[in-house]
Amino acid sequence: MSKKILTLIFLLLGISIYSQIVINEIDADTPGTDQLEFVELKSAIPNFPLDGYVLVFYNGGSSAPYSGSLSYYAFDLDGYSTDINGIAVFGNNQLVPSPMGVFPNATIQNGPDVVAIYSGNATDFPLNTLATSTNLIDALAYSNANTQPAAMMTTLGITVCTNENATSSVTTHSIQRKNDGSYEVKLPTPRANNDGSGVVLNYISVTTSQPILSEGNSFNFIFTTSEPVQNETLIMNFTLINGSFTMSDFSGGLTVSIPVGQTTTQTGIILIDDGLDEGDEEMKFIFQTLPFGYVANNDNIVYRVYDANFATDPWGTPLNPTYNIVTPTIPLGYYDSLEGLSGAALKQELQNIIADPGVVRLHSYADIWEILRSSDRNPNNNNQVWCIYTEQPFSKLDQQNTSSIVGKWNREHIFSQSRGGFDVANGDTADGINVWLPTSAATTIDGVSDAHHIRAVSGQENSSRNNKNYGTVASSTVYNGPSGTQGSWRGDVARALFYMAVRFDGLNVVNGDPSEYLPSTTTASGNIGDLATLLTWNTSDPKDDFEMNRNNYIYTWQMNRNPFIDYPNLADYIFGANYGQPWSVTLSTQSPIENRVAVYPNPASDYLIVSGLEGSSKVEIYTITGQLVQTENFDNEIQLNLDLHAGMYLVKVTNGTVSTTKKIIIK
């Protein structure tokens, strides 16, 4: 046989094989936070290997950063095969039945977009690859409205864009291919032929005997089939190893069996307590190859294993604060040059200290993750971070690495990025504490990675706060925290913003609600408000040990401190009522009164005693939002009669030129 004939045969064979793979179903818009997305492929012959293929997702819209028919995700199909029905499903791990391959939640965009199959590898389609018809096998254009990615459809030779919302049930219906090659919208059928034909598979479900797992626990994996086992005993093998979770972290068998005629079995696992604080870990249940006719109903299941040996700190959380346990690590003479200065000269000299280009270090935005894991750790469990605004801990493992924000923590810029004009540098990577760049007051963009105003935050609350101003007035442009929380973060926010307004030229804390606020603004104003509210918060929510520990730790990275944590009264001399008066550390320290004054009982009901002082003093009681509700002048000691609603209040006690604020509960 001639070489020309052989070449022709192989060419025709290749075309025949490629034409056997099509996009059979896609569910892009699913309920809630998009945890049930999937793409299903179909081959003309069963058990078809998918080596040499790649799924590519393109954005057909006009919004940055994925505009102009550019790719936003690629998933390599090497190592996968279709099943006995010619089906292969790839999607979120919450999908039932379980997908063969898993990609992160909320990955698939709702459209107008395109998903395509190519011969090639994921490395051929890096982020923002322009749509191409080269090596294209099949493609589907879809949307959830009456719009379509027209330019990309022309490029890829697609003539129809299918609307997933054609039935007005976009979150509960999927787009499915019919036998004639057209598409329809109906209830999803993952891992099954869209027309209901094919081999009926026996699905295996896995559950655990207890929902929360910690080192030292014993529990069972329970296996259940959808139909009784037939013909011969079902033998299943599985693994649990995942990253730092290894064979040394557990004991128990990894092989189980279900006899003929039965539907369930279980096996015991012991999580070993090694006595070491290695941090929380995650084990991943993965089935090994299952026998013919059986399919995993759930697989690639991640289970959190909490370390029983977590460390604690001697200070409290912002919600239950302690004071004066953490010693400020202020270098000798660090603030000496401020003595006697006032007004603009005081602010300028403070900037000279905290923005000294010969001393202060700029680290990457990616390094902020490592900084926050230490600076914002939960004092009650060092394997967690304490999240601002929501006043709750998150496991350090729940760091937000994808677009999914539910149950994740992120990095919150107190002085929001859009207002400050901050930007993340291209190729930003975590370099560690020993790699840095110089910085100055003039380079406002460097605020993107200044840890003094970046806090651990719930991903969902980070989204809710957006770039709003801070304040107490109800407004779509003003943020006052989640309903039902106690506002333990308000003073921290104020002191972070005061720092930023001194640290960087062009950043200002202003009165009121700056009118240039627009959610979609692309022009940085450099302004944030409300100054009057922030000055109140600085007093009503005093700096505590949690905040001082942050200041100390961030100094080890950046080689500068937040002076408004070291000396909160500085804010009054630069932004407030004492502007123009000479500054003196000795006259402005709050520590003497903090050590002397006693406010009790706490909780209180109908009266409150303030004692421990000498001479004329004043007591003021504020709501947690900063509203003054009661005030009295007194000498030495006072018993106040109370007529207040139950809840948390702030008691500010002033003696001469110094004051302190304490939190009390009214029953």
Side-chain angles (χ1 to χ4, degrees):
M1 186 179 294
S2 70
K3 290 184 178 179
K4 289 184 179 180
I5 295 175
L6 280 172
T7 301
L8 180 59
I9 290 173
F10 284 122
L11 178 61
L12 292 173
L13 180 61
I15 294 173
S16 173
I17 290 174
Y18 285 156
S19 67
Q20 293 181 81
I21 302 295
V22 296
I23 295 168
N24 200 47
E25 186 174 357
I26 183 170
D27 198 355
D29 198 344
T30 63
T33 54
D34 284 337
Q35 298 178 337
L36 301 174
E37 302 169 331
F38 71 91
V39 173
E40 181 180 87
L41 308 183
K42 173 77 172 175
S43 63
I45 59 175
N47 305 311
F48 185 81
L50 298 176
D51 297 324
Y53 293 90
V54 59
L55 266 176
V56 180
F57 298 84
Y58 290 108
N59 186 291
S62 58
S63 59
Y66 307 124
S67 57
S69 303
L70 302 178
S71 67
Y72 65 88
Y73 188 65
F75 189 88
D76 208 304
L77 300 178
D78 288 345
Y80 297 103
S81 297
T82 61
D83 62 20
I84 190 173
N85 290 314
I87 297 292
V89 175
F90 304 92
N92 305 147
N93 63 5
Q94 290 91 340
L95 182 68
V96 177
S98 176
M100 293 180 176
V102 176
F103 47 70
N105 296 337
T107 293
I108 304 178
Q109 298 182 19
N110 294 338
D113 293 321
V114 167
V115 58
I117 310 172
Y118 287 89
S119 58
N121 297 291
T123 53
D124 299 328
F125 297 89
L127 180 66
N128 292 337
T129 298
L130 191 63
T132 176
S133 60
T134 303
N135 296 323
L136 178 66
I137 306 305
D138 189 37
L140 169 65
Y142 66 93
S143 180
N144 62 357
N146 292 318
T147 55
Q148 60 183 26
M152 190 156 40
M153 290 172 65
T154 300
T155 299
L156 301 179
I158 304 171
T159 58
V160 176
C161 177
T162 306
N163 182 2
E164 190 177 350
N165 198 31
T167 57
S168 300
S169 302
V170 66
T171 61
T172 55
H173 282 187
S174 67
I175 298 172
Q176 301 177 34
R177 190 177 191 273
K178 298 194 293 185
N179 292 332
D180 63 6
S182 63
Y183 288 89
E184 63 181 335
V185 177
K186 60 180 183 178
L187 290 171
T189 59
R191 295 203 77 160
N193 287 333
N194 296 335
D195 62 2
S197 64
V199 177
V200 177
L201 301 171
N202 198 342
Y203 292 98
I204 307 169
S205 299
V206 182
T207 57
T208 57
S209 58
Q210 60 189 70
I212 299 176
L213 305 175
S214 299
E215 288 182 343
N217 288 168
S218 299
F219 71 98
N220 290 340
F221 278 119
I222 304 165
F223 302 81
T224 306
T225 58
S226 58
E227 302 293 336
V229 172
Q230 299 180 9
N231 301 324
E232 61 182 4
T233 298
L234 168 61
I235 298 175
M236 298 167 283
N237 298 302
F238 63 94
T239 65
L240 298 175
I241 295 173
N242 181 42
S244 62
F245 188 86
T246 66
M247 294 290 292
S248 64
D249 292 309
F250 71 95
S251 63
L254 300 178
T255 300
V256 294
S257 61
I258 301 179
V260 173
Q262 302 297 310
T263 59
T264 188
T265 190
Q266 54 186 297
T267 187
I269 299 291
I270 299 173
L271 298 171
I272 296 172
D273 182 356
D274 57 12
L276 302 174
D277 180 16
E278 301 167 311
D280 299 336
E281 296 176 307
E282 291 181 328
M283 67 178 181
K284 181 183 285 190
F285 179 99
I286 302 177
F287 272 118
Q288 300 301 286
T289 303
L290 292 171
F292 177 82
Y294 292 93
V295 172
N297 213 28
N298 52 339
D299 198 5
N300 292 282
I301 315 165
V302 175
Y303 295 95
R304 178 69 48 83
V305 178
Y306 294 99
D307 198 309
N309 306 284
F310 57 83
T312 60
D313 293 310
W315 56 87
T317 68
L319 198 58
N320 297 287
T322 57
Y323 304 94
N324 302 318
I325 293 176
V326 177
T327 302
T329 57
I330 305 171
L332 185 65
Y334 189 71
Y335 294 115
D336 285 359
S337 60
L338 301 180
E339 286 294 312
L341 298 181
S342 62
L346 175 62
K347 181 180 179 182
Q348 182 58 58
E349 182 55 30
L350 188 58
Q351 185 187 73
N352 294 342
I353 296 171
I354 65 175
D356 185 346
V359 175
V360 181
R361 301 173 178 180
L362 172 68
H363 291 277
S364 73
Y365 187 45
D367 279 322
I368 292 295
W369 290 118
E370 181 178 349
I371 294 174
L372 294 182
R373 282 192 285 268
S374 291
S375 67
D376 290 23
R377 66 183 183 267
N378 177 14
N380 296 330
N381 183 338
N382 282 187
N383 294 326
Q384 302 171 337
V385 291
W386 183 265
C387 286
I388 197 170
Y389 304 145
T390 55
E391 304 174 329
Q392 64 183 147
F394 275 57
S395 173
K396 291 180 180 179
L397 286 177
D398 291 324
Q399 176 180 314
Q400 183 181 331
N401 294 314
T402 68
S403 58
S404 178
I405 63 176
V406 178
K408 303 295 182 181
W409 65 274
N410 205 338
R411 300 162 291 184
E412 159 73 343
H413 289 86
I414 303 299
F415 202 116
S416 54
Q417 284 186 260
S418 60
R419 290 179 177 274
F422 313 138
D423 195 16
V424 181
N426 290 331
D428 181 75
T429 56
D431 306 306
I433 194 170
N434 295 318
V435 178
W436 70 88
L437 294 173
T439 179
S440 71
T443 51
T444 305
I445 194 173
D446 292 352
V448 72
S449 57
D450 193 313
H452 282 302
H453 85 119
I454 303 177
R455 295 288 293 263
V457 64
S458 155
Q460 290 171 286
E461 197 60 29
N462 185 41
S463 177
S464 297
R465 189 254 157 157
N466 198 347
N467 62 348
K468 297 176 183 176
N469 299 293
Y470 294 94
T472 56
V473 179
S475 167
S476 61
T477 63
V478 173
Y479 182 78
N480 192 32
S483 175
T485 53
Q486 297 182 18
S488 63
W489 48 270
R490 292 191 175 103
D492 304 47
V493 161
R495 289 180 281 275
L497 291 178
F498 296 150
Y499 164 86
M500 292 295 284
V502 174
R503 167 67 177 86
F504 293 102
D505 294 336
L507 298 187
N508 306 287
V509 181
V510 298
N511 277 312
D513 181 0
S515 59
E516 70 276 355
Y517 170 83
L518 288 172
S520 59
T521 185
T522 57
T523 302
S525 66
N527 296 330
I528 198 166
D530 164 50
L531 175 58
T533 297
L534 296 168
L535 286 168
T536 299
W537 286 357
N538 181 46
T539 303
S540 62
D541 177 34
K543 52 99 174 176
D544 55 27
D545 288 318
F546 183 91
E547 199 177 359
M548 184 59 74
N549 178 70
R550 277 195 101 250
N551 203 14
N552 291 346
Y553 182 74
I554 292 169
Y555 175 78
T556 66
W557 280 75
Q558 296 184 182
M559 303 306 293
N560 72 345
R561 299 181 64 82
N562 182 341
F564 300 100
I565 297 175
D566 292 332
Y567 300 110
N569 279 1
L570 256 174
D572 294 324
Y573 286 79
I574 293 177
F575 301 102
N578 297 108
Y579 183 85
Q581 299 177 18
W583 163 260
S584 172
V585 170
T586 5
L587 295 176
S588 302
T589 179
Q590 294 183 356
S591 56
I593 189 173
E594 288 177 358
N595 295 334
R596 300 195 312 268
V597 70
V599 178
Y600 63 95
N602 190 11
S605 53
D606 52 357
Y607 72 92
L608 188 70
I609 295 174
V610 181
S611 64
L613 300 175
E614 296 181 0
S616 298
S617 301
K618 180 171 70 172
V619 58
E620 299 165 288
I621 301 179
Y622 294 85
T623 66
I624 199 67
T625 59
Q627 179 184 1
L628 180 64
V629 293
Q630 190 170 345
T631 181
E632 297 283 347
N633 295 314
F634 67 97
D635 290 325
N636 303 327
E637 182 176 318
I638 188 174
Q639 177 173 315
L640 286 88
N641 294 322
L642 301 176
D643 184 17
L644 300 172
H645 296 296
M648 176 173 283
Y649 291 82
L650 303 166
V651 179
K652 180 181 178 181
V653 181
T654 303
N655 179 250
T657 61
V658 293
S659 63
T660 186
T661 303
K662 297 182 181 295
K663 296 180 180 179
I664 64 165
I665 300 293
I666 302 296
K667 297 188 294 184

